[in-house]
Coordinates of all heavy atoms in Angstrom, one line a residue:
P1 N 0.8 -1.2 0.0 CA 0.0 0.0 0.0 C 0.9 1.3 0.0 O 2.0 1.2 0.4 CB -0.8 -0.1 1.3 CG -0.1 -1.1 2.1 CD 0.7 -1.9 1.3
Y2 N 0.3 2.3 -0.4 CA 0.9 3.6 -0.5 C 1.1 4.2 0.9 O 0.2 4.3 1.7 CB 0.1 4.6 -1.3 CG 0.7 6.0 -1.3 CD1 1.8 6.3 -2.0 CD2 0.0 7.0 -0.6 CE1 2.3 7.6 -2.0 CE2 0.6 8.3 -0.6 CZ 1.7 8.6 -1.3 OH 2.2 9.8 -1.3
A3 N 2.4 4.6 1.2 CA 2.7 5.2 2.5 C 3.3 6.6 2.2 O 4.3 6.7 1.5 CB 3.7 4.4 3.3
P4 N 2.6 7.7 2.6 CA 3.1 9.0 2.2 C 4.4 9.3 2.9 O 4.7 8.8 4.0 CB 2.0 9.9 2.7 CG 1.3 9.2 3.7 CD 1.4 7.7 3.3
N5 N 5.3 10.0 2.3 CA 6.6 10.4 2.8 C 6.3 11.4 3.9 O 5.7 12.5 3.7 CB 7.4 11.0 1.7 CG 8.8 11.5 2.2 OD1 9.0 11.7 3.4 ND2 9.7 11.7 1.2
P6 N 6.7 11.1 5.2 CA 6.4 12.0 6.3 C 7.0 13.4 6.1 O 6.4 14.4 6.6 CB 6.9 11.3 7.5 CG 7.8 10.2 7.0 CD 7.4 9.9 5.6
V7 N 8.2 13.5 5.5 CA 8.8 14.8 5.3 C 8.0 15.6 4.4 O 7.8 16.8 4.6 CB 10.3 14.6 4.8 CG1 10.9 15.9 4.5 CG2 11.1 13.9 5.9
R8 N 7.5 15.0 3.3 CA 6.7 15.7 2.3 C 5.4 16.2 2.9 O 4.9 17.3 2.7 CB 6.4 14.9 1.1 CG 5.6 15.6 0.0 CD 5.4 14.8 -1.2 NE 6.7 14.6 -1.8 CZ 7.0 13.6 -2.7 NH1 6.0 12.8 -3.0 NH2 8.2 13.5 -3.2
V9 N 4.8 15.3 3.7 CA 3.5 15.7 4.4 C 3.7 16.9 5.4 O 3.0 17.8 5.4 CB 2.9 14.5 5.2 CG1 1.8 14.9 6.0 CG2 2.5 13.4 4.2
I10 N 4.8 16.8 6.1 CA 5.2 17.9 7.0 C 5.4 19.2 6.2 O 4.8 20.2 6.6 CB 6.4 17.6 7.9 CG1 6.1 16.5 8.9 CG2 7.0 18.8 8.6 CD1 7.3 15.9 9.5
S11 N 6.1 19.1 5.2 CA 6.5 20.3 4.4 C 5.3 20.9 3.8 O 5.1 22.1 3.8 CB 7.5 20.0 3.4 OG 8.7 19.5 4.0
V12 N 4.4 20.1 3.1 CA 3.3 20.7 2.4 C 2.3 21.2 3.4 O 1.8 22.3 3.3 CB 2.6 19.6 1.5 CG1 1.3 20.1 1.0 CG2 3.6 19.2 0.4
G13 N 2.0 20.5 4.5 CA 1.1 20.9 5.5 C 1.6 22.2 6.2 O 0.8 23.1 6.4
S14 N 2.8 22.2 6.5 CA 3.4 23.4 7.2 C 3.4 24.6 6.3 O 3.2 25.7 6.7 CB 4.8 23.0 7.7 OG 4.8 22.0 8.6
F15 N 3.8 24.4 5.0 CA 3.8 25.5 4.1 C 2.4 26.1 4.0 O 2.3 27.3 4.1 CB 4.3 25.1 2.7 CG 4.2 26.2 1.7 CD1 5.3 27.1 1.7 CD2 3.1 26.5 0.9 CE1 5.3 28.2 0.8 CE2 3.1 27.6 0.1 CZ 4.2 28.4 0.0
T16 N 1.4 25.3 3.9 CA 0.0 25.8 3.7 C -0.4 26.5 5.0 O -1.0 27.6 4.9 CB -0.9 24.6 3.5 OG1 -0.5 23.9 2.3 CG2 -2.4 25.1 3.3
Q17 N -0.1 26.0 6.2 CA -0.4 26.6 7.4 C 0.3 28.0 7.5 O -0.3 29.0 7.9 CB 0.0 25.7 8.6 CG -0.9 24.5 8.7 CD -0.4 23.5 9.8 OE1 0.8 23.6 10.1 NE2 -1.3 22.7 10.2
G18 N 1.6 28.0 7.2 CA 2.4 29.2 7.3 C 1.9 30.3 6.3 O 1.8 31.4 6.6
F19 N 1.6 29.8 5.1 CA 1.1 30.7 4.1 C -0.2 31.4 4.5 O -0.3 32.6 4.5 CB 0.8 30.0 2.7 CG 0.3 30.9 1.7 CD1 1.2 31.6 0.8 CD2 -1.0 31.0 1.4 CE1 0.7 32.4 -0.2 CE2 -1.5 31.8 0.5 CZ -0.6 32.5 -0.4
V20 N -1.2 30.6 5.0 CA -2.5 31.2 5.3 C -2.3 32.1 6.6 O -2.8 33.2 6.6 CB -3.5 30.0 5.6 CG1 -4.8 30.6 6.2 CG2 -3.8 29.3 4.3
A21 N -1.6 31.6 7.6 CA -1.4 32.4 8.8 C -0.7 33.8 8.5 O -1.2 34.8 8.9 CB -0.7 31.7 9.8
S22 N 0.4 33.7 7.7 CA 1.1 34.9 7.4 C 0.3 35.9 6.5 O 0.4 37.1 6.7 CB 2.4 34.6 6.7 OG 3.2 33.8 7.6
A23 N -0.4 35.3 5.6 CA -1.2 36.2 4.7 C -2.3 36.8 5.5 O -2.6 38.0 5.2 CB -1.7 35.4 3.5
C24 N -3.0 36.1 6.4 CA -4.0 36.7 7.2 C -3.5 37.8 8.0 O -4.2 38.9 8.2 CB -4.7 35.6 8.0 SG -5.8 34.5 7.1
I25 N -2.4 37.6 8.6 CA -1.8 38.7 9.5 C -1.4 39.9 8.7 O -1.7 41.0 9.0 CB -0.6 38.1 10.3 CG1 -1.0 37.1 11.3 CG2 0.2 39.3 10.9 CD1 0.1 36.3 11.9
S26 N -0.8 39.6 7.5 CA -0.3 40.7 6.7 C -1.4 41.5 6.0 O -1.3 42.7 5.8 CB 0.6 40.1 5.6 OG 1.1 41.1 4.7
A27 N -2.6 40.9 5.8 CA -3.6 41.5 5.1 C -4.1 42.8 5.7 O -4.5 43.8 5.0 CB -4.8 40.6 4.9
F28 N -4.1 42.9 7.0 CA -4.7 44.0 7.7 C -3.7 44.8 8.6 O -4.1 45.7 9.3 CB -5.9 43.6 8.5 CG -7.0 43.0 7.6 CD1 -7.2 41.6 7.6 CD2 -7.7 43.8 6.7 CE1 -8.1 41.1 6.8 CE2 -8.7 43.2 5.9 CZ -8.9 41.9 5.9
Q29 N -2.4 44.5 8.4 CA -1.4 45.3 9.2 C -1.2 46.6 8.5 O -0.9 46.6 7.3 CB -0.1 44.5 9.3 CG -0.2 43.4 10.3 CD 1.2 42.8 10.4 OE1 2.1 42.9 9.6 NE2 1.4 42.1 11.5
D30 N -1.4 47.7 9.2 CA -1.2 49.0 8.7 C -2.1 49.5 7.6 O -2.0 50.6 7.0 CB 0.3 49.2 8.2 CG 1.3 48.9 9.2 OD1 1.0 49.2 10.4 OD2 2.4 48.4 8.9
V31 N -3.2 48.7 7.3 CA -4.2 49.1 6.3 C -5.5 48.6 6.8 O -5.6 47.4 7.2 CB -3.9 48.6 4.9 CG1 -2.7 49.3 4.3 CG2 -3.8 47.1 4.8
A32 N -6.6 49.4 6.7 CA -7.9 48.9 7.1 C -8.5 48.0 6.1 O -9.1 47.0 6.4 CB -8.8 50.1 7.3
H33 N -8.3 48.3 4.8 CA -8.8 47.5 3.7 C -7.8 47.4 2.6 O -7.6 48.4 1.8 CB -10.1 48.2 3.1 CG -11.2 48.4 4.2 ND1 -11.9 47.3 4.6 CD2 -11.6 49.5 4.8 CE1 -12.8 47.8 5.5 NE2 -12.6 49.1 5.7
P34 N -7.1 46.3 2.4 CA -6.2 46.2 1.3 C -6.9 46.2 0.0 O -7.8 45.5 -0.2 CB -5.5 44.8 1.6 CG -6.5 44.0 2.4 CD -7.3 45.1 3.2
D35 N -6.5 47.2 -0.8 CA -7.3 47.3 -2.1 C -6.4 47.7 -3.3 O -6.8 47.9 -4.4 CB -8.4 48.3 -2.0 CG -7.9 49.7 -1.5 OD1 -6.7 49.9 -1.3 OD2 -8.8 50.6 -1.4
S36 N -5.1 47.7 -3.1 CA -4.2 48.1 -4.2 C -3.3 46.9 -4.6 O -3.2 45.9 -3.8 CB -3.3 49.3 -3.8 OG -2.3 48.8 -2.8
K37 N -2.8 47.0 -5.7 CA -1.9 46.0 -6.2 C -0.7 45.8 -5.3 O -0.3 44.7 -5.0 CB -1.4 46.3 -7.6 CG -0.4 45.3 -8.2 CD 0.0 45.7 -9.6 CE 1.0 44.6 -10.1 NZ 1.5 44.9 -11.4
A38 N -0.2 46.9 -4.7 CA 0.9 46.8 -3.8 C 0.5 46.1 -2.5 O 1.3 45.3 -2.0 CB 1.4 48.2 -3.4
D39 N -0.7 46.3 -2.0 CA -1.2 45.6 -0.8 C -1.3 44.1 -1.1 O -0.8 43.3 -0.3 CB -2.6 46.1 -0.4 CG -2.6 47.4 0.2 OD1 -1.6 47.9 0.7 OD2 -3.7 48.1 0.1
Y40 N -1.8 43.7 -2.3 CA -1.9 42.3 -2.6 C -0.5 41.7 -2.8 O -0.3 40.5 -2.4 CB -2.8 42.1 -3.8 CG -4.2 42.5 -3.6 CD1 -4.9 43.3 -4.6 CD2 -4.9 42.2 -2.5 CE1 -6.2 43.8 -4.4 CE2 -6.2 42.6 -2.3 CZ -6.8 43.4 -3.2 OH -8.1 43.8 -3.0
Q41 N 0.4 42.4 -3.4 CA 1.7 41.9 -3.5 C 2.4 41.7 -2.2 O 3.1 40.7 -2.0 CB 2.6 42.8 -4.4 CG 4.0 42.2 -4.7 CD 4.7 43.1 -5.7 OE1 4.2 44.0 -6.3 NE2 6.0 42.8 -5.9
R42 N 2.2 42.6 -1.3 CA 2.8 42.5 0.1 C 2.2 41.3 0.8 O 2.9 40.5 1.4 CB 2.5 43.8 0.9 CG 2.9 43.7 2.3 CD 2.6 45.0 3.1 NE 1.2 45.4 2.9 CZ 0.1 44.9 3.5 NH1 0.3 44.0 4.4 NH2 -1.1 45.4 3.3
I43 N 0.9 41.1 0.7 CA 0.2 39.9 1.3 C 0.8 38.6 0.7 O 1.1 37.7 1.5 CB -1.3 40.1 1.1 CG1 -1.8 41.3 1.9 CG2 -2.0 38.8 1.6 CD1 -3.2 41.7 1.6
L44 N 0.9 38.6 -0.6 CA 1.4 37.4 -1.2 C 2.9 37.1 -0.8 O 3.2 36.0 -0.4 CB 1.4 37.5 -2.8 CG 2.1 36.4 -3.6 CD1 1.3 35.1 -3.3 CD2 2.1 36.8 -5.0
R45 N 3.7 38.2 -0.8 CA 5.1 38.0 -0.3 C 5.2 37.5 1.1 O 5.9 36.5 1.4 CB 5.9 39.3 -0.4 CG 7.3 39.2 -0.1 CD 8.1 40.5 -0.2 NE 7.9 41.3 1.0 CZ 7.3 42.5 1.0 NH1 6.8 43.0 -0.1 NH2 7.1 43.1 2.2
H46 N 4.4 38.1 2.0 CA 4.4 37.7 3.4 C 3.9 36.2 3.5 O 4.4 35.5 4.3 CB 3.7 38.6 4.3 CG 4.3 39.9 4.4 ND1 3.7 41.0 4.9 CD2 5.6 40.3 4.2 CE1 4.5 42.1 5.0 NE2 5.7 41.7 4.5
G47 N 2.9 35.9 2.8 CA 2.3 34.6 2.8 C 3.3 33.5 2.4 O 3.5 32.5 3.0
L48 N 4.0 33.8 1.3 CA 5.0 32.8 0.7 C 6.1 32.7 1.7 O 6.7 31.6 1.9 CB 5.4 33.3 -0.7 CG 4.4 33.1 -1.8 CD1 4.9 33.8 -3.0 CD2 4.0 31.7 -2.0
Q49 N 6.6 33.8 2.2 CA 7.7 33.8 3.2 C 7.3 33.0 4.5 O 8.1 32.3 5.0 CB 8.1 35.2 3.6 CG 8.9 35.9 2.4 CD 9.2 37.4 2.8 OE1 8.4 38.1 3.4 NE2 10.4 37.8 2.3
G50 N 6.1 33.3 4.9 CA 5.7 32.5 6.1 C 5.5 31.0 5.9 O 5.9 30.2 6.7
G51 N 5.1 30.7 4.7 CA 5.0 29.3 4.3 C 6.3 28.6 4.3 O 6.6 27.5 4.8
A52 N 7.3 29.3 3.6 CA 8.6 28.8 3.5 C 9.3 28.7 4.9 O 9.9 27.6 5.2 CB 9.5 29.7 2.6
A53 N 9.1 29.7 5.7 CA 9.7 29.6 7.0 C 9.1 28.5 7.9 O 9.9 27.8 8.6 CB 9.6 31.0 7.7
L54 N 7.8 28.4 7.9 CA 7.2 27.3 8.8 C 7.5 26.0 8.2 O 7.8 25.0 9.0 CB 5.7 27.5 8.8 CG 5.0 26.6 9.8 CD1 5.5 26.8 11.2 CD2 3.5 26.9 9.8
A55 N 7.5 25.8 6.9 CA 7.9 24.5 6.4 C 9.3 24.1 6.7 O 9.6 23.0 7.2 CB 7.7 24.4 4.9
A56 N 10.2 25.1 6.6 CA 11.6 24.8 7.0 C 11.8 24.5 8.5 O 12.5 23.6 8.9 CB 12.5 26.0 6.6
G57 N 11.1 25.3 9.3 CA 11.2 25.1 10.7 C 10.6 23.7 11.1 O 11.1 23.0 12.0
S58 N 9.5 23.3 10.5 CA 8.9 22.0 10.8 C 9.8 20.9 10.4 O 10.0 19.9 11.1 CB 7.5 21.9 10.1 OG 6.6 22.9 10.6
H59 N 10.4 21.0 9.2 CA 11.3 20.0 8.7 C 12.5 19.9 9.6 O 13.0 18.8 9.9 CB 11.7 20.3 7.3 CG 12.4 19.1 6.7 ND1 13.8 19.0 6.7 CD2 12.0 18.0 6.0 CE1 14.2 17.9 6.1 NE2 13.1 17.3 5.7
A60 N 13.1 21.1 10.0 CA 14.2 21.1 10.9 C 13.9 20.4 12.3 O 14.7 19.6 12.8 CB 14.7 22.5 11.1
A61 N 12.7 20.7 12.8 CA 12.3 20.1 14.1 C 12.2 18.6 13.9 O 12.6 17.8 14.8 CB 11.0 20.7 14.6
H62 N 11.6 18.2 12.8 CA 11.4 16.7 12.6 C 12.8 16.1 12.5 O 13.1 15.0 13.0 CB 10.6 16.5 11.3 CG 10.4 15.1 11.0 ND1 9.5 14.3 11.7 CD2 10.9 14.3 10.0 CE1 9.5 13.1 11.2 NE2 10.3 13.0 10.2
S63 N 13.7 16.7 11.8 CA 15.1 16.2 11.6 C 15.8 16.1 13.0 O 16.5 15.1 13.3 CB 15.9 17.1 10.7 OG 15.3 17.0 9.4
L64 N 15.6 17.1 13.8 CA 16.3 17.1 15.1 C 15.7 16.0 16.0 O 16.5 15.3 16.7 CB 16.1 18.5 15.8 CG 16.9 19.6 15.3 CD1 16.5 20.9 16.0 CD2 18.4 19.4 15.5
R65 N 14.4 15.7 15.9 CA 13.9 14.6 16.7 C 14.5 13.3 16.3 O 14.6 12.4 17.1 CB 12.4 14.6 16.5 CG 11.6 15.6 17.4 CD 10.1 15.4 17.4 NE 9.5 15.5 16.1 CZ 9.0 16.6 15.6 NH1 9.1 17.8 16.3 NH2 8.5 16.7 14.4
R66 N 14.8 13.2 15.0 CA 15.5 11.9 14.5 C 17.0 11.9 14.7 O 17.6 10.9 14.4 CB 15.2 11.8 12.9 CG 13.8 11.5 12.6 CD 13.6 11.2 11.1 NE 14.7 11.7 10.2 CZ 14.6 12.8 9.4 NH1 13.5 13.5 9.4 NH2 15.6 13.2 8.7
G67 N 17.5 13.0 15.2 CA 19.0 13.1 15.4 C 19.7 13.4 14.1 O 21.0 13.2 14.1
D68 N 19.1 13.9 13.1 CA 19.7 14.2 11.8 C 20.0 15.7 11.7 O 19.3 16.5 11.2 CB 18.8 13.8 10.7 CG 19.4 13.9 9.3 OD1 20.5 14.4 9.2 OD2 18.7 13.5 8.3
Y69 N 21.2 16.0 12.3 CA 21.5 17.4 12.5 C 21.9 18.1 11.1 O 21.7 19.3 10.9 CB 22.7 17.6 13.5 CG 22.3 17.0 14.8 CD1 22.9 15.8 15.3 CD2 21.3 17.6 15.6 CE1 22.5 15.2 16.5 CE2 21.0 17.0 16.8 CZ 21.5 15.9 17.3 OH 21.2 15.3 18.4
T70 N 22.5 17.3 10.2 CA 22.8 17.9 8.9 C 21.5 18.3 8.2 O 21.4 19.4 7.6 CB 23.6 16.8 8.1 OG1 24.7 16.5 8.8 CG2 23.9 17.4 6.7
S71 N 20.5 17.4 8.2 CA 19.2 17.7 7.5 C 18.6 18.9 8.2 O 18.0 19.8 7.5 CB 18.3 16.5 7.6 OG 17.1 16.8 6.9
A72 N 18.7 19.0 9.5 CA 18.1 20.2 10.2 C 18.8 21.5 9.8 O 18.1 22.5 9.5 CB 18.2 20.0 11.7
L73 N 20.1 21.4 9.7 CA 20.8 22.6 9.3 C 20.5 23.0 7.9 O 20.3 24.2 7.6 CB 22.3 22.4 9.5 CG 23.2 23.6 9.2 CD1 22.9 24.8 10.1 CD2 24.7 23.2 9.4
L74 N 20.4 22.0 7.0 CA 20.1 22.3 5.6 C 18.7 22.9 5.5 O 18.4 23.8 4.7 CB 20.3 21.1 4.8 CG 21.7 20.6 4.5 CD1 21.7 19.3 3.8 CD2 22.5 21.6 3.7
S75 N 17.8 22.4 6.3 CA 16.4 22.9 6.3 C 16.4 24.4 6.7 O 15.7 25.2 6.1 CB 15.5 22.1 7.3 OG 15.4 20.8 6.9
V76 N 17.1 24.7 7.7 CA 17.1 26.1 8.2 C 17.8 27.0 7.1 O 17.2 28.1 6.8 CB 17.9 26.2 9.5 CG1 18.2 27.7 9.9 CG2 17.2 25.5 10.6
A77 N 18.9 26.5 6.5 CA 19.5 27.3 5.5 C 18.6 27.5 4.2 O 18.5 28.6 3.7 CB 20.8 26.6 5.0
A78 N 17.9 26.4 3.8 CA 17.0 26.5 2.7 C 15.8 27.4 3.0 O 15.4 28.2 2.1 CB 16.5 25.1 2.3
G79 N 15.3 27.4 4.2 CA 14.2 28.3 4.6 C 14.6 29.7 4.6 O 13.9 30.6 4.0
A80 N 15.8 30.0 5.1 CA 16.3 31.4 5.1 C 16.6 31.9 3.7 O 16.2 33.0 3.4 CB 17.6 31.5 6.0
A81 N 17.1 31.0 2.9 CA 17.4 31.4 1.5 C 16.1 31.6 0.7 O 16.0 32.6 -0.1 CB 18.2 30.3 0.8
G82 N 15.1 30.8 1.0 CA 13.8 31.0 0.4 C 13.1 32.3 0.8 O 12.6 33.0 -0.1
V83 N 13.2 32.6 2.0 CA 12.6 33.9 2.5 C 13.4 35.1 1.9 O 12.7 36.0 1.4 CB 12.7 34.0 4.0 CG1 12.3 35.4 4.5 CG2 11.7 33.0 4.7
L84 N 14.7 35.0 1.8 CA 15.5 36.1 1.2 C 15.2 36.2 -0.3 O 15.0 37.3 -0.8 CB 17.0 35.8 1.4 CG 17.9 36.9 0.8 CD1 17.7 38.3 1.4 CD2 19.4 36.5 1.0
L85 N 15.1 35.1 -1.0 CA 14.8 35.1 -2.4 C 13.4 35.7 -2.7 O 13.3 36.6 -3.6 CB 14.9 33.7 -3.0 CG 14.5 33.5 -4.5 CD1 15.6 34.2 -5.3 CD2 14.4 32.1 -4.9
L86 N 12.4 35.3 -1.9 CA 11.1 35.9 -2.1 C 11.1 37.4 -1.8 O 10.4 38.2 -2.5 CB 10.1 35.2 -1.2 CG 9.8 33.8 -1.6 CD1 9.1 33.0 -0.5 CD2 8.9 33.8 -2.8
E87 N 11.9 37.8 -0.8 CA 12.0 39.3 -0.5 C 12.6 40.0 -1.7 O 12.1 41.1 -2.1 CB 12.9 39.5 0.7 CG 12.9 40.9 1.2 CD 11.6 41.4 1.7 OE1 10.8 40.7 2.2 OE2 11.4 42.7 1.7
K88 N 13.6 39.5 -2.3 CA 14.3 40.1 -3.5 C 13.3 40.1 -4.7 O 13.3 41.1 -5.4 CB 15.6 39.4 -3.8 CG 16.6 39.5 -2.7 CD 17.1 40.9 -2.5 CE 18.2 40.9 -1.5 NZ 18.7 42.2 -1.2
L89 N 12.6 39.0 -4.9 CA 11.8 38.9 -6.1 C 10.5 39.8 -5.9 O 10.0 40.3 -6.9 CB 11.4 37.5 -6.3 CG 12.5 36.6 -6.8 CD1 12.0 35.1 -6.9 CD2 13.1 37.0 -8.2
L90 N 9.9 39.9 -4.7 CA 8.6 40.5 -4.6 C 8.7 41.7 -3.6 O 7.7 42.0 -3.0 CB 7.6 39.4 -4.0 CG 7.4 38.2 -4.8 CD1 6.5 37.2 -4.1 CD2 6.8 38.6 -6.1
H91 N 9.8 42.4 -3.5 CA 9.9 43.5 -2.6 C 9.0 44.6 -3.1 O 8.7 44.8 -4.2 CB 11.4 44.0 -2.6 CG 11.9 44.6 -3.8 ND1 12.3 43.9 -4.9 CD2 12.1 45.9 -4.2 CE1 12.6 44.7 -5.9 NE2 12.5 46.0 -5.5
D92 N 8.7 45.5 -2.1 CA 7.8 46.6 -2.3 C 8.7 47.7 -3.1 O 9.8 47.9 -2.7 CB 7.3 47.3 -1.1 CG 6.4 46.3 -0.3 OD1 5.7 45.5 -1.0 OD2 6.3 46.4 0.9
K93 N 8.1 48.3 -4.1 CA 8.8 49.3 -4.8 C 8.5 50.7 -4.1 O 7.4 50.9 -3.8 CB 8.4 49.4 -6.3 CG 8.8 48.2 -7.1 CD 8.3 48.3 -8.5 CE 8.6 47.0 -9.2 NZ 8.0 46.9 -10.5
P94 N 9.5 51.5 -4.0 CA 9.2 52.9 -3.5 C 8.3 53.6 -4.4 O 8.3 53.3 -5.6 CB 10.6 53.5 -3.4 CG 11.6 52.4 -3.4 CD 10.9 51.3 -4.1
A95 N 7.6 54.5 -3.9 CA 6.6 55.3 -4.7 C 7.2 55.9 -5.9 O 6.6 56.0 -7.0 CB 5.9 56.3 -3.8
S96 N 8.5 56.4 -5.8 CA 9.1 57.0 -6.9 C 9.4 56.0 -8.1 O 9.3 56.4 -9.2 CB 10.4 57.7 -6.5 OG 11.3 56.7 -6.0
E97 N 9.6 54.7 -7.8 CA 9.8 53.7 -8.8 C 8.5 53.4 -9.5 O 8.4 53.1 -10.7 CB 10.4 52.5 -8.2 CG 11.9 52.6 -7.9 CD 12.4 51.3 -7.4 OE1 12.0 50.2 -7.9 OE2 13.4 51.3 -6.6
E98 N 7.4 53.4 -8.7 CA 6.1 53.0 -9.3 C 5.6 54.1 -10.2 O 5.0 53.8 -11.2 CB 5.1 52.8 -8.1 CG 5.3 51.5 -7.4 CD 4.3 51.3 -6.2 OE1 3.4 52.2 -6.1 OE2 4.5 50.3 -5.5
T99 N 5.8 55.3 -9.9 CA 5.3 56.4 -10.8 C 6.3 56.9 -11.8 O 6.0 57.6 -12.7 CB 4.9 57.6 -9.9 OG1 6.1 58.1 -9.2 CG2 3.8 57.3 -8.9
G100 N 7.6 56.5 -11.7 CA 8.6 56.9 -12.6 C 9.2 58.2 -12.2 O 10.0 58.8 -12.9
D101 N 8.8 58.8 -11.1 CA 9.4 60.1 -10.6 C 10.8 59.8 -10.1 O 11.1 58.8 -9.5 CB 8.5 60.7 -9.5 CG 7.1 61.1 -10.0 OD1 7.0 61.2 -11.2 OD2 6.2 61.2 -9.2
E102 N 11.6 60.8 -10.2 CA 13.0 60.7 -9.6 C 13.2 61.8 -8.6 O 12.8 62.8 -8.5 CB 14.0 60.8 -10.7 CG 13.7 59.8 -11.8 CD 14.8 58.8 -12.1 OE1 15.9 59.0 -11.5 OE2 14.6 57.9 -12.8

């Protein structure tokens, strides 16, 4: 019979939980009603970063419980790299860049 890979289950479930939790928190921070493209991009960025961070943290914790310190360290490094990459790819543009003003 099919036995799901526990690491994959942890990662997918944790990513989804982190994505939803982070996006919900981000949606209404500093804005009463998100309604601009920049608001939606910020919410998406924070959701993806939260998902990556929680999945990495969950995988690292699972690895530590198994005594697999290398895998735990790699999970933390991959999670941090994912958060940084998402920040670089989806960063907020200053108002002068959006309007073309200098």
Side-chain angles (χ1 to χ4, degrees):
Y2 173 74
N5 180 340
V7 173
R8 182 176 294 159
V9 171
I10 289 169
S11 297
V12 171
S14 297
F15 178 85
T16 303
Q17 291 170 341
F19 179 87
V20 171
S22 298
C24 286
I25 291 169
S26 181
F28 300 105
Q29 284 185 340
D30 301 325
V31 292
H33 302 285
D35 58 0
S36 70
K37 181 179 177 183
D39 288 336
Y40 296 134
Q41 184 173 351
R42 175 183 48 81
I43 294 165
L44 175 64
R45 184 180 82 246
H46 289 165
L48 291 171
Q49 288 175 320
L54 188 58
S58 296
H59 189 270
H62 182 73
S63 296
L64 287 174
R65 282 192 296 272
R66 291 189 335 258
D68 186 354
Y69 303 109
T70 302
S71 181
L73 183 60
L74 289 173
S75 296
V76 171
V83 169
L84 179 60
L85 178 65
L86 288 163
E87 185 67 26
K88 297 293 183 184
L89 291 175
L90 300 175
H91 69 283
D92 294 331
K93 294 179 183 171
S96 62
E97 285 184 31
E98 289 179 1
T99 61
D101 297 337
E102 307 237 352

